[in-house]
């Protein structure tokens, strides 16, 4: 089982990228017909109630997929969080790549290219952490 502080770090990274994304939550997280009033797993509850989480409601919403709710340990939860983060970063990267194709100012293009590089790095980071969690919880 991963130490709680390691899991909190993973969650903070995910929530930071996820909340800064220009995409709505429903663009990444499939609709699962689960309302926030349905109790999620105790693991998700504990995580979203942690000190590092600033927006508990968003945390619960982001982690309310059936796959996440069914997790049984912190390693499995961390891996799923990283996969969600990578999927969100990839979707946002695709949006930036589409915007870059449209005419715009050189300053805007430069800024968008910096965002593209940042999201490429974020995707690699999410994937690296996800694979490390599987190999060495």
């Amino acid at each position: 089982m991963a130490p709680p502080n390691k899991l909190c770090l993973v969650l903070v990274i995910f929530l930071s990228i996820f909340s800064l994304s220009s995409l709505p939550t429903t663009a990444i997280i499939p609709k699962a017909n689960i309302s926030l009033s349905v109790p999620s797993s105790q693991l998700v509850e504990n995580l979203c109630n942690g000190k590092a989480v600033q927006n508990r409601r968003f945390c619960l919403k982001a982690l309310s997929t059936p796959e996440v709710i069914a997790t049984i340990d912190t390693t499995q939860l961390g891996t799923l969080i990283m996969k969600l983060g990578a999927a969100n970063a990839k979707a946002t990267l695709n949006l930036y790549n589409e915007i870059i194709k449209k005419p715009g100012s050189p300053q805007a293009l430069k800024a968008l290219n910096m965002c593209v590089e940042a999201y490429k790095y974020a995707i690699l980071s999410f994937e690296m952490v996800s694979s490390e969690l599987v190999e060495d919880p």
Side-chain angles (χ1 to χ4, degrees):
M1 186 182 287
N5 57 350
K6 198 175 199 180
L7 186 60
C8 286
L9 176 63
V10 167
L11 180 64
V12 168
I13 292 168
F14 165 74
L15 291 177
S16 297
I17 295 293
F18 198 73
S19 65
L20 293 174
S21 169
S22 58
L23 294 175
T25 304
T26 54
I28 302 304
I29 300 174
K31 292 185 180 182
N33 295 328
I34 296 176
S35 70
L36 289 178
S37 62
V38 174
S40 62
S41 74
Q42 190 61 45
L43 194 57
V44 171
E45 285 286 333
N46 292 344
L47 191 62
C48 291
N49 286 326
K51 290 180 185 176
V53 178
Q54 294 180 0
N55 188 337
R56 181 180 181 273
R57 184 172 167 82
F58 175 80
C59 178
L60 289 171
K61 183 177 180 183
L63 299 178
S64 65
T65 66
E67 188 179 28
V68 171
I69 290 172
T71 57
I72 56 172
D73 62 33
T74 55
T75 300
Q76 198 177 29
L77 179 60
T79 301
L80 289 172
I81 289 170
M82 290 298 101
K83 287 179 181 178
L84 285 171
N88 186 32
K90 286 176 185 176
T92 304
L93 177 63
N94 289 338
L95 276 175
Y96 285 137
N97 284 328
E98 289 300 315
I99 294 170
I100 287 172
K101 293 177 185 176
K102 298 176 183 173
S105 70
Q107 296 86 359
L109 183 60
K110 183 178 178 181
L112 286 168
N113 281 322
M114 289 176 63
C115 290
V116 163
E117 291 307 311
Y119 273 91
K120 285 179 182 177
Y121 181 76
I123 292 165
L124 290 173
S125 297
F126 282 128
E127 290 171 346
M128 181 186 75
V129 171
S130 178
S131 66
E132 284 182 10
L133 283 172
V134 170
E135 293 170 15
D136 182 15

